[in-house]
Amino acid sequence: MKTTGIAVIGAGPAGIAAALAAAEAGASITVIDENSAVGGQLRWRIAPLRGLDEALDGLPACRAAETLRERLATAGVSVLAGTVAWGLFEDGSLAVAAPGGGFRLRAEKIVVATGAVDLVLPFSGWTLPGVMTARAAQVMLHLHRVLPGRRVAVIGEGRDAAELVTDLETAGAEVVLRAADPAQVVASGEGRVEQVSVNGEQREANAVVIALGRQPDPELALQAQVDLGYSARLGCHLPLRNELLETSRPGLYVAGEAAGAVDLAESFAEGRLAGLAAAGASPERITTAQEKLARARSPERSADADRLRPWASDRAQTETDASSPWTSWVRAATAEGRDNSLDRVALCRCEQVTIGEVRQAIEEGALTINDIKRRTRAGMGLCQGIFCTRAMALLLHAERGIPLSEIVPMTERPPARPIPLASLVEIEE
Amino acid sequence: MDEARSIGTGDLRVLHHPVLGDLPVSRPVQITVDGQPLLAREGEVIAATLLAHGILVCRAMPRGREPRGVFCALGRCTDCLMTVDDEPNVRACLTPVREGQVIWTQAGLGGWEGPAG
C-alpha cells in the first residue's frame, strides 16, 4: 500500500487550489485526476475568470489552466493524470486504477474535489445522436475545435445556457431554437437529430445541447457514507461540512462543485480552505481563507450553505419544491393518458429503462431510488446513475408525494467508475 | 493556410476562433472507421474526429439497436462505446487517435470477434 499526507481527488479549480494551499503549508500531496490533463472544467471553458486571484482574473479559463499547471509544477506537486480513484473504504484507504496498474493509497487526509456533471432530464428524442450535454459541447468546441453542429438548439435558461449560447455563436454555430424546459422539446430524425421542436415551433437542426445547470458529484464521499443535507436550491443532497469544509468523517473534506459550489471563484476559494485545513495550517491563514470564501460566495449560495439540514429532519424545506425549475418537467412526465408522450422515453439511458417503466414500478410500490433500481435496473448501468437518479427522485416526489429532501440518494459502492478487471488483479497489498 | 489547417480532417472544424485564435496546423493521422479511411488531427480523441466528419453514431444499443453518439464527452455516460483495434467497449470520447487505428461502430455489448458482436 502506498501512502501520502493528503490525497486530493480531482484536479479542477478546487483540487488545484487545495493542492497548492496544502503544498504552501508543507504537506506531502498526491493529486489524482481521471482526465488526461490537469485543469478540470477550466480546460474546456473560455469565459474570462473573475475573483480567483490577480494573476488569473481576466484570462480565459483554458489559459488559466496552463498557468495553474505551471504553479503546481513550481510547487513540486505531482499529479497522477489519467488515473481513477474508484473506491474509498472503511479503513480510509483509496483504491486507484492507473495506466501503469492498480494500487491502494492510504492518506492521512483526503480532499474530494470531483466537481459536477451536467444536470439532465429526459425529453422526447434525447437519446438520438446529436443530443449532448453543455460540457460535451464545450469539450468539442474548445478542446477539439469541432462544432457540435452548424444549427443547434439549446435547452436551459440559466447561466450555463447563456454561456453555451455565447460559446456556440463565438465559434460560428447558429443557435436556431431555445427552450426553457426539456419537457417542451422534441428532437427527431433518422438515426440522428434532424429536427427540433419546442412547443410545436419546429426548426431543422443537427444538434441539441442540454444546459440546465450542474449536478454535484461527490461520489467518493457518498461511498464513505458521510452525513448529508438537502439543498433546496440544487434539489439534491450534499455532504454536510463544518467551517473547515470537513465532513462527518474526520479527515475527509469536500470542496468545490462536488459540494454545491456555484462558480469558479467559489470553487477555488473552497479548495484553498480545504487544502489549508487538511494540512493543518496556522489559524491566521485559515481565517483569511474563510474570509475570502465568504466574499466569493453568492448570497443564495451562502443562504443555502447555512440551511443544509440532515435529510430526514426538516420537512419545512419541501415548501421550495413547488416552485423549482423542474416543476413543469414533472407535470409533463406524470401526466395521465394521451397527453403523456414521455412514458416511452428512456429515463435510464444505459439500461434503456423508460419513464413509463419507472412510473409503473412506483405505482407497484417502489418508495426509494434503490427500490426503483432493484425493480427496473434503472441506475444500474455504466454511468452509475449520475444521469438518471434526479429524474427518479422527481417521479417519486410527484407520484408518491415524498418530499425531495427525504428521498435518499442511491447507495454508492465501489467502483465509482468502470475499471478494467486487470486493475484489481494488479493491486498489491 | 486554411487548407493546411483543415485539409481532409473534417468540415465541422472551427478554423478561426476569436478567443482561441487560429487552429494550429497539425500532422494528419489516418484512421479507419467502419472500413472508411478518415483523417484525424494528432492528439485528439476518436469522438472529435468522427464529429468533425459529421459522423454521429458510435454504437447501437442492446435493446432495439437504438443508435447512440457522444453525449457527455467526459467518459461518464458510455454512449460512445466503440470497438477499437478489436477491443470492444472503448470510450471514443477519451481515446486518442493513433495512426492506422481500426474502429468499428459497436453493436450491442460488443464482442472480441470483430464488429458483429
Side-chain angles (χ1 to χ4, degrees), chain A residues 266-285:
Chain A
E266 184 184 1
S267 288
F268 203 67
E270 282 209 352
R272 180 165 175 82
L273 175 56
L276 289 173
S282 68
E284 294 76 28
R285 273 183 167 174

Side-chain angles (χ1 to χ4, degrees), chain A residues 127 133 145 217 349 352, chain B residues 12 21 63 66 71 76 79:
Chain A
T127 57
T133 67
R145 301 283 294 259
D217 185 20
R349 301 172 65 94
Q352 297 180 278
Chain B
L12 288 173
R63 276 169 91 175
E66 182 194 353
F71 181 65
R76 300 298 303 275
D79 269 4

Side-chain angles (χ1 to χ4, degrees), chain A residues 2 39 81 83 111 141 157 165 167-168 187 196 238 251 258 265 338 369 410 413:
Chain A
K2 301 186 183 195
T83 299
V111 179
L141 284 169
E157 55 183 356
V165 168
D167 287 347
L168 286 164
V196 181
L238 298 172
R338 207 179 290 178
I369 290 176
M410 197 166 76
R413 295 188 186 87

Side-chain angles (χ1 to χ4, degrees), chain A residues 310-340:
Chain A
W311 63 271
S313 72
D314 190 0
R315 279 180 168 271
Q317 288 196 26
T318 56
E319 287 163 20
T320 47
D321 292 345
S323 60
S324 60
W326 36 79
T327 309
S328 58
W329 181 86
V330 171
R331 200 179 301 128
T334 55
E336 290 308 325
R338 207 179 290 178
D339 288 351
N340 192 344

